[in-house]
Amino acid sequence: MAIIKCPECGHQISDKAPTCPSCGVEIAGHITHCQQCGAVYLSEQDSCPICHHANTSRPAQRMAPTTPPPIPTNLPPQQNGNAAPEQPKKKHSRGALIFSFLMAMVICGVCFYFYHNAKDTKESEAYTYAMTSSDPLVLQSFLDTYRDASHARRDSIQLRLTAIQQAERDWTNACASKSKTMLLEFIKQYPQSAHKGEALNKIDSIDWEKAKAENTEESFYSYQREHPNGKYVGDADEEIKKLNAKTLQPEEEETISLLYRRFFQGINSRNASQVGETVASVLKNFQGRPDALKSDVMSYVNSLWRPDVENMNWYLPDQLQIDKKEVSVDQYEYDVHFNARQKVVFNNGKPDSETRYRVSSHVNAEFRIVEFNMSRIIE
């Protein structure tokens, strides 16, 4: 079995098929292959329709035996002895002609019906496809191809095409404006637009550029709130970390201020335990002494309480000068500078004294004093 083209209509069929399912011509036993070009054609044809090579496989036509016509026995008498016999007249069937004409009309009508029905089906499919498409070329193609479509269909296609073209113009204007307001208005007006995702990306970028321009924690947090799945959420985290590394937070300032107040309150009350809680176990430098211990700190405190000192009070400013720096990931240390005032009451009749000092110190990531140097301000 082989697959061949029907010699009548060209459809792919089996050479063993009784008839072609498309045109009905007989196939099995009624086809031959051209010995010259290999084309398939009907065995009844005299030659190949492609190269016109003679059909050598066609059986020779048998010649019907010829027999002389019977001699009539009742011939009419000849006139003048030499008149030829009278020939029978041909009969033309008028009914057959009428029938053939009617059949031709029926066939033409059927062909026209199927042609018109196929054309209408194709137009309906093209209309449905165009009305669901957002491509202006598809809509314009329908208008160019089906110029004889109904007015209702052409009007619907034209309205949709006009709306899409207007949306494209609005999109172009919104992009050119680089305005968040216009992009949001476009999304509101065309929520089903294919450009919606692109518009949201542009808004995301606009808000990110604004946050970077302000360069504050609040601006980056605001961006993350408005765009929780934005392209720059990770970048915002990095920028916040950078700002945290340089920006003193209120809670940090409060903790450090409280640390120094407890330190000086411990000196005022000669409370070794309270002073010890504010300093590291080993200080890098304390009043010029490297690698000082807590015991060294208390020795200094005791030296301030001379025998003639009856009372001592230290006063700190409301706000300290604090410089923050990052030492490792999420780990910060602080340089602290401020002026402190010492008031001393003596027990030997000496007048009270008041002295100002300049304090320079350093606080580690555990909020403990690791460096402390205090010098008297001479006025």
Side-chain angles (χ1 to χ4, degrees), residues 82-345:
N82 57 0
E86 183 180 359
Q87 298 293 327
K89 296 181 179 181
K90 294 182 179 180
K91 297 182 179 181
H92 298 280
S93 175
R94 183 178 180 184
L97 291 174
I98 294 174
F99 177 76
S100 298
F101 175 77
L102 292 176
M103 286 299 296
M105 292 296 292
V106 170
I107 292 173
C108 290
V110 170
C111 292
F112 177 79
Y113 169 79
F114 282 109
Y115 168 77
H116 181 76
N117 187 58
K119 181 180 178 182
D120 187 63
T121 300
K122 188 175 181 181
E123 178 190 317
S124 297
E125 292 175 352
Y127 173 77
T128 301
Y129 176 69
M131 288 300 291
T132 57
S133 174
S134 297
D135 188 348
L137 295 178
V138 173
L139 295 160
Q140 187 61 53
S141 175
F142 179 89
L143 295 175
D144 295 339
T145 304
Y146 300 100
R147 297 182 181 277
D148 56 348
S150 66
H151 291 297
R153 285 186 173 181
R154 289 184 62 84
D155 289 346
S156 297
I157 294 293
Q158 186 61 60
L159 286 173
R160 182 167 177 77
L161 176 60
T162 301
I164 291 175
Q165 290 173 338
Q166 181 61 49
E168 287 297 318
R169 287 192 291 272
D170 291 344
W171 170 243
T172 301
N173 293 334
C175 289
S177 71
K178 298 181 180 179
S179 167
K180 178 181 178 180
T181 301
M182 289 193 67
L183 289 168
L184 287 172
E185 182 62 29
F186 176 84
I187 294 174
K188 180 180 179 181
Q189 188 172 356
Y190 304 103
Q192 304 301 322
S193 172
H195 298 299
K196 181 178 180 180
E198 189 176 353
L200 291 172
N201 285 336
K202 288 182 177 294
I203 292 171
D204 181 74
S205 297
I206 290 173
D207 285 346
W208 172 243
E209 291 300 325
K210 179 182 177 183
K212 286 202 302 181
E214 294 180 7
N215 196 35
T216 63
E217 284 189 60
E218 179 53 35
S219 67
F220 292 121
Y221 282 131
S222 177
Y223 167 80
Q224 290 180 327
R225 285 193 298 269
E226 290 191 37
H227 305 277
N229 299 314
K231 295 187 295 183
Y232 307 100
V233 169
D235 293 335
D237 286 333
E238 292 299 321
E239 293 299 327
I240 290 171
K241 288 181 180 179
K242 290 179 183 179
L243 288 174
N244 282 335
K246 299 184 295 184
T247 305
L248 186 69
Q249 303 301 309
E251 57 272 18
E252 294 173 312
E253 183 177 13
E254 182 179 355
T255 300
I256 293 172
S257 178
L258 180 60
L259 175 71
Y260 282 94
R261 293 187 186 283
R262 287 184 57 79
F263 174 81
F264 282 101
Q265 286 172 0
I267 295 177
N268 291 338
S269 60
R270 302 183 71 171
N271 187 330
S273 176
Q274 184 170 331
V275 173
E277 290 174 357
T278 62
V279 299
S281 298
V282 178
L283 286 76
K284 295 179 181 179
N285 187 292
F286 183 81
Q287 288 298 97
R289 180 171 182 171
D291 300 326
L293 303 176
K294 288 186 178 183
S295 58
D296 297 320
V297 176
M298 288 312 303
S299 295
Y300 176 76
V301 172
N302 290 330
S303 69
L304 294 175
W305 283 88
R306 298 188 303 273
D308 59 346
V309 175
E310 181 178 342
N311 191 20
M312 182 187 304
N313 284 297
W314 288 86
Y315 301 92
L316 275 60
D318 294 335
Q319 190 169 3
L320 310 181
Q321 180 186 340
I322 304 173
D323 296 323
K324 178 181 178 181
K325 62 180 179 180
E326 187 174 21
V327 293
S328 62
V329 179
D330 294 332
Q331 293 289 314
Y332 309 99
E333 293 188 356
Y334 312 86
D335 289 322
V336 184
H337 306 278
F338 59 92
N339 292 337
R341 184 165 54 90
Q342 179 198 43
K343 188 174 182 180
V344 177
V345 177

Side-chain angles (χ1 to χ4, degrees), residues 60-98:
Q61 295 182 352
R62 296 180 179 178
M63 301 298 293
T66 56
T67 55
I71 301 175
T73 57
N74 52 348
L75 293 175
Q78 295 182 352
Q79 297 181 358
N80 299 327
N82 57 0
E86 183 180 359
Q87 298 293 327
K89 296 181 179 181
K90 294 182 179 180
K91 297 182 179 181
H92 298 280
S93 175
R94 183 178 180 184
L97 291 174
I98 294 174

